[in-house]
Amino acid sequence: MTDKERIKALVGELNQYAREYYVLDQPTVSDATYDRLYQELEQLEVKYPDWVLEKSPTQRVGGVVLERFEKVVHDIALYSLSDAFSKEELFAFDMRIKKLVNQPFSYICELKIDGLSVSLKYQNGVFIQGATRGDGVIGENITENLRTIQDIPLSLDTQGTLEVRGEAYMPKRSFDKLNQARELEGLATFANPRNAAAGSLRQLDTKVTAKRNLATFIYQVAGENIALTQSETLNQLKNLGFSINPSYQVCQTIDEVWTFVTEMAEQRHKLPYEIDGVVIKVNQFVSQEAMGFTVKAPRWAVAYKFPAEEVETRIISIDWQVGRTGVVTPTANLTPVSIAGTTVSRATLHNVDNIKAKDIRLNDTVILYKAGDIIPAISQVVFDKRPLDSLPLEIPIDCPICHLPLVHFDDEVALRCINPMCQAQIKEQLAHFVSRAAMNIDGLGPRVINQLFDLELIGDVADLYRLTFDQLIQLDKIQEKSATNLLEAIEKSKSNSVEKLIFGLGVRHIGAKVAKRLAEHFGNLEQIMQASFEEISELDGLGVKIAESVTTYFANIKVRELIHELQDSGLNFDYLGVRMTENSEFSGKTIVLTGKLGRYQRSELKEILEALGAKVTGSVSKKTDLVIAGNDAGSKLSKAESLGIEVLGEEDILKKLKSEE
């Protein structure tokens, strides 16, 4: 055997041993044997650097130092899930499913891993890209860091493009080892494994990530399904070489689901990784596709969150904070206490009605709870431990910032400052406007905003676009390079697609997805401002509340003056994405793509068809209107022909698309 052949053999052998150890948890050789073979491979690769294979285990140790993380636009969006916090909510989910599904179905229950969502892309079997979830549409390219995770295959026995999704996490053992090492070095420890995993995957030095011993559970194929059910998909992912969580269960009834949920709640602390609930999905993909999605989440899945952990602590003081909409929120400062893996020293008191209903007072001993990612809150007061000299909490009647009277509207539980010039509101509005999900002005954080505001250099978002280098250089800790970078970021934000601006303006009830829906439909900000209540309320997924909020907001003369100032500053008011055509030949049709396409990537054709109003799904059913078949089309083509569904080749579609131009 030549040295080159020996390198290839060692790579295959070591990768197999690693899969048995990290993925299957069934090692077949000792650590000493693995280390000996690994050292032999290292020596050969040093001797013959041109023969190093991309899938060699030595390529997982890191070594690349990144300047920054590039943005990645997901071919297929990553949706969040609706939550359920009780048995009643879970059974209500079951009732909704039964109203939507007209055929037999089952559920699949999968553990909700407390980690970081990731997407992995392979081209002809080679791992080419890994990304974070981000906002579901745009994530960050963390390919080099993901390459260091031992259970992620660097190569697969597949052709074409394959994209899978899953969760990257830090096992409890790795977490404890990491914190022990940081304590010895005098460094701050991580609060919980999820934070540690997220921080590890966002390291610019990949060697740091490699030392953190992260792991993954893969649970989804993006795009065209490779099976008929989610349970079959998990088995196929396992056969491909991915690590899947073995603790899943197919259930025929919601009662079986509840039994599984309660069992996992009892066993969660015995697992070698953190979980915060159970994800329940309809198992059959054909039923999933029939149910579809809301604006935010799939209708066929729900994430059941485990009941909150509870601990006792004491209220030291209470702060009253003013948000960007004028709502004044009370926050309790607490004796620090550990709960759900996190040290907590503050908790929301929600509103005045909540304080009165629970009779919360200073120096009270209280029960603190925290469920999943929910902000810590107080469930009740321990009255037996209340001081004898305790008095009811004094509720403010004036805004703690601008000192004008607060209002308690009849239909709201919150106190509200209605002074539009309240500094606290303006600062919060500015922070929202520059945030990543809005205008994404990097470097313009709360510290800089506070300084600009205190120096009276800004009073609203339009003032941001009038800032000068000489003004910025006055600020504390802002050097010439920082000032230049900040001005470049502000200038760059002018070219954002308009949905970023709409979201950044902070219109009530308008989140990022609704902002995009409005921009996509109307095309530009002028058309949105002129749209009637009826035009907006009739849009799919919006409704009366959103329509009322949008029309009321843009009818305000002060808002129109602000928009005019932004326009004068050169901000883009157009939607720069692909707009949906609602009167095309494809509008309203359900289409399936199958086989190898020549002119387009499948994701490209899918985007084009969806922009023309079509719904592109992964499997053929009686509801399918059209199948587009490329070369080597298989079972989907056969099924379409048996059901009498129209089938077109790629050339036919090209002609039809040309006629749409």
Side-chain angles (χ1 to χ4, degrees):
M1 182 181 293
T2 66
D3 285 344
K4 190 171 186 178
E5 290 171 336
R6 181 58 178 162
I7 288 175
K8 185 177 181 181
L10 283 169
V11 168
E13 197 173 348
L14 287 166
N15 281 340
Q16 177 60 28
Y17 294 151
R19 181 170 187 267
E20 291 168 350
Y21 183 89
Y22 292 105
V23 179
L24 304 179
D25 198 23
Q26 297 174 347
T28 58
V29 296
S30 66
D31 289 348
T33 299
Y34 182 91
D35 291 342
R36 176 176 56 79
L37 295 174
Y38 189 92
Q39 289 170 2
E40 181 186 352
L41 176 62
E42 279 187 314
Q43 292 167 2
L44 286 170
E45 289 180 341
V46 169
K47 188 176 180 181
Y48 305 107
D50 292 341
W51 294 350
V52 176
L53 299 176
E54 189 174 5
K55 61 182 179 180
S56 170
T58 63
Q59 302 307 294
R60 293 187 184 272
V61 297
V64 178
V65 178
L66 308 171
E67 292 184 6
R68 60 191 178 92
F69 293 110
E70 301 289 341
K71 301 297 182 187
V72 172
V73 179
H74 296 298
D75 291 337
I76 300 171
L78 285 80
Y79 280 80
S80 56
L81 296 178
S82 300
D83 293 330
F85 295 95
S86 66
K87 182 178 181 180
E88 291 73 22
E89 290 181 15
L90 200 55
F91 277 58
F93 164 74
D94 178 60
M95 294 300 295
R96 292 196 299 272
I97 296 297
K98 288 175 178 175
K99 290 178 181 178
L100 293 171
V101 179
N102 298 320
Q103 54 193 353
F105 70 92
S106 57
Y107 290 116
I108 182 168
C109 300
E110 301 171 67
L111 300 186
K112 187 175 181 298
I113 309 302
D114 199 10
L116 187 75
S117 294
V118 295
S119 180
L120 314 177
K121 186 179 288 187
Y122 293 79
Q123 185 68 48
N124 294 326
V126 178
F127 177 48
I128 60 168
Q129 181 180 280
T132 63
R133 179 187 184 279
D135 63 3
V137 177
I138 299 176
E140 290 181 314
N141 188 331
I142 55 169
T143 306
E144 295 302 327
N145 283 338
L146 288 170
R147 287 175 65 88
T148 70
I149 300 179
Q150 293 286 348
D151 64 14
I152 292 179
L154 299 181
S155 63
L156 303 172
D157 185 17
T158 60
Q159 292 298 313
T161 300
L162 175 68
E163 186 175 350
V164 299
R165 273 82 185 265
E167 203 80 8
Y169 68 96
M170 182 172 285
K172 291 177 181 177
R173 183 172 59 181
S174 300
F175 175 71
D176 292 339
K177 185 177 179 181
L178 173 63
N179 269 351
Q180 288 170 8
R182 291 179 70 85
E183 282 180 346
L184 290 175
E185 294 174 22
L187 300 174
T189 57
F190 286 101
N192 54 59
R194 187 187 188 282
N195 288 353
S200 300
L201 283 173
R202 298 201 78 258
Q203 291 289 327
L204 293 176
D205 185 350
T206 57
K207 281 187 176 179
V208 176
T209 309
K211 293 177 181 178
R212 297 284 175 86
N213 298 312
L214 301 177
T216 62
F217 284 129
I218 304 301
Y219 53 75
Q220 179 188 7
V221 175
E224 185 171 350
N225 297 316
I226 59 175
L228 297 177
T229 64
Q230 173 65 7
S231 54
E232 290 176 14
T233 294
L234 292 175
N235 286 328
Q236 292 193 16
L237 287 169
K238 181 179 179 180
N239 292 335
L240 283 172
F242 294 104
S243 175
I244 68 160
N245 191 307
S247 299
Y248 68 87
Q249 183 171 308
V250 175
C251 300
Q252 302 304 318
T253 67
I254 196 66
D255 290 307
E256 290 181 25
V257 168
W258 181 247
T259 299
F260 180 83
V261 166
T262 53
E263 288 175 354
M264 287 299 105
E266 294 173 0
Q267 298 175 23
R268 60 186 293 201
H269 296 297
K270 299 177 183 178
L271 296 171
Y273 44 82
E274 293 284 354
I275 64 172
D276 58 1
V278 175
V279 175
I280 299 97
K281 306 172 186 173
V282 171
N283 194 26
Q284 289 74 17
F285 290 140
V286 65
S287 295
Q288 289 185 10
E289 288 162 5
M291 283 180 277
F293 297 77
T294 66
V295 172
K296 295 182 179 180
R299 292 188 176 91
W300 39 264
V302 69
Y304 176 84
K305 298 289 190 71
F306 288 136
E309 294 187 33
E310 296 184 337
V311 295
E312 278 191 13
T313 185
R314 188 173 66 85
I315 297 178
I316 301 171
S317 62
I318 293 174
D319 296 331
W320 297 85
Q321 299 172 312
V322 184
R324 63 183 174 90
T325 61
V327 170
V328 179
T329 305
T331 301
N333 296 303
L334 311 166
T335 302
V337 63
S338 179
I339 180 170
T342 306
T343 299
V344 173
S345 59
R346 288 168 66 83
T348 179
L349 297 177
H350 297 296
N351 50 63
V352 172
D353 289 2
N354 180 63
I355 290 174
K356 291 179 178 178
K358 295 176 180 176
D359 191 19
I360 296 171
R361 305 182 183 184
L362 283 176
N363 297 314
D364 270 346
T365 297
V366 294
I367 303 296
L368 187 73
Y369 73 93
K370 184 173 183 286
D373 291 331
I374 293 176
I375 298 169
I378 291 169
S379 61
Q380 64 186 67
V381 174
V382 183
F383 291 105
D384 292 345
K385 297 183 179 181
R386 169 170 283 174
L388 296 176
D389 59 352
S390 175
L391 296 172
L393 193 65
E394 195 172 315
I395 305 299
I397 58 174
D398 295 330
C399 173
I401 304 301
C402 70
H403 308 297
L404 291 180
L406 296 174
V407 176
H408 193 174
F409 292 113
D410 292 339
D411 60 342
E412 291 187 342
V413 296
L415 285 174
R416 189 180 290 273
C417 173
I418 58 173
N419 173 20
M421 301 310 295
C422 175
Q423 292 187 10
Q425 291 182 59
I426 296 173
K427 286 181 181 180
E428 289 295 329
Q429 289 165 2
L430 287 162
H432 172 74
F433 185 84
V434 305
S435 66
R436 180 179 296 181
M439 296 302 282
N440 193 22
I441 303 178
D442 191 31
L444 198 54
R447 182 181 64 82
V448 176
I449 288 174
N450 285 336
Q451 289 188 71
L452 290 170
F453 199 89
D454 293 342
L455 291 171
E456 298 184 353
L457 295 176
I458 57 173
D460 59 26
V461 298
D463 290 335
L464 294 172
Y465 295 96
R466 290 188 276 265
L467 290 171
T468 66
F469 180 86
D470 290 339
Q471 290 173 330
L472 291 175
I473 207 71
Q474 301 176 38
L475 306 183
D476 182 43
K477 296 182 180 179
I478 296 292
Q479 304 299 321
E480 290 186 7
K481 185 176 180 181
S482 299
T484 300
N485 290 342
L486 186 50
L487 286 173
E488 288 177 355
I490 292 171
E491 185 65 26
K492 183 181 177 182
S493 74
K494 293 180 181 180
S495 60
N496 285 339
S497 188
V498 73
E499 68 270 19
K500 293 279 190 178
L501 174 59
I502 297 168
F503 177 59
L505 289 172
V507 187
R508 197 175 182 193
H509 303 310
I510 307 302
K513 290 183 178 178
V514 171
K516 184 178 180 182
R517 181 74 181 95
L518 288 166
E520 184 181 56
H521 178 80
F522 290 104
N524 58 58
L525 187 57
E526 289 90 343
Q527 292 298 320
I528 295 172
M529 292 173 68
Q530 294 170 15
S532 67
F533 175 89
E534 291 74 18
E535 287 175 311
I536 297 173
S537 64
E538 290 172 0
L539 284 180
D540 183 36
L542 302 191
V544 173
K545 186 180 290 186
I546 289 173
E548 183 178 10
S549 180
V550 172
T551 52
T552 301
Y553 179 82
F554 287 115
N556 187 307
I557 186 64
K558 291 293 185 183
V559 170
R560 289 184 171 270
E561 290 174 359
L562 174 65
I563 298 298
H564 185 70
E565 289 183 61
L566 294 173
Q567 189 173 36
D568 286 345
S569 294
L571 271 71
N572 171 62
F573 280 10
D574 293 327
Y575 176 61
L576 302 181
V578 180
R579 288 190 65 189
M580 182 179 291
T581 303
E582 298 181 353
N583 57 353
S584 80
E585 180 181 345
F586 300 100
S587 183
K589 288 189 175 182
T590 299
I591 300 176
V592 172
L593 307 179
T594 185
K596 297 176 182 177
L597 303 175
R599 171 64 175 80
Y600 293 104
Q601 290 283 339
R602 186 170 296 182
S603 59
E604 292 176 320
L605 184 54
K606 179 177 184 289
E607 183 178 353
I608 291 170
L609 291 169
E610 287 180 340
L612 292 170
K615 177 184 178 183
V616 181
T617 64
S619 60
V620 177
S621 70
K622 291 180 180 179
K623 294 185 178 180
T624 303
D625 298 303
L626 173 65
V627 170
I628 299 172
N631 295 327
D632 301 325
S635 59
K636 292 181 182 179
L637 175 58
S638 301
K639 186 173 181 180
E641 291 172 340
S642 69
L643 292 173
I645 295 168
E646 182 182 8
V647 177
L648 294 177
E650 189 175 8
E651 289 302 319
D652 298 321
I653 290 299
L654 287 173
K655 292 176 184 176
K656 288 181 177 292
L657 291 177
K658 192 157 187 67
S659 68
E660 294 281 350
E661 295 178 356

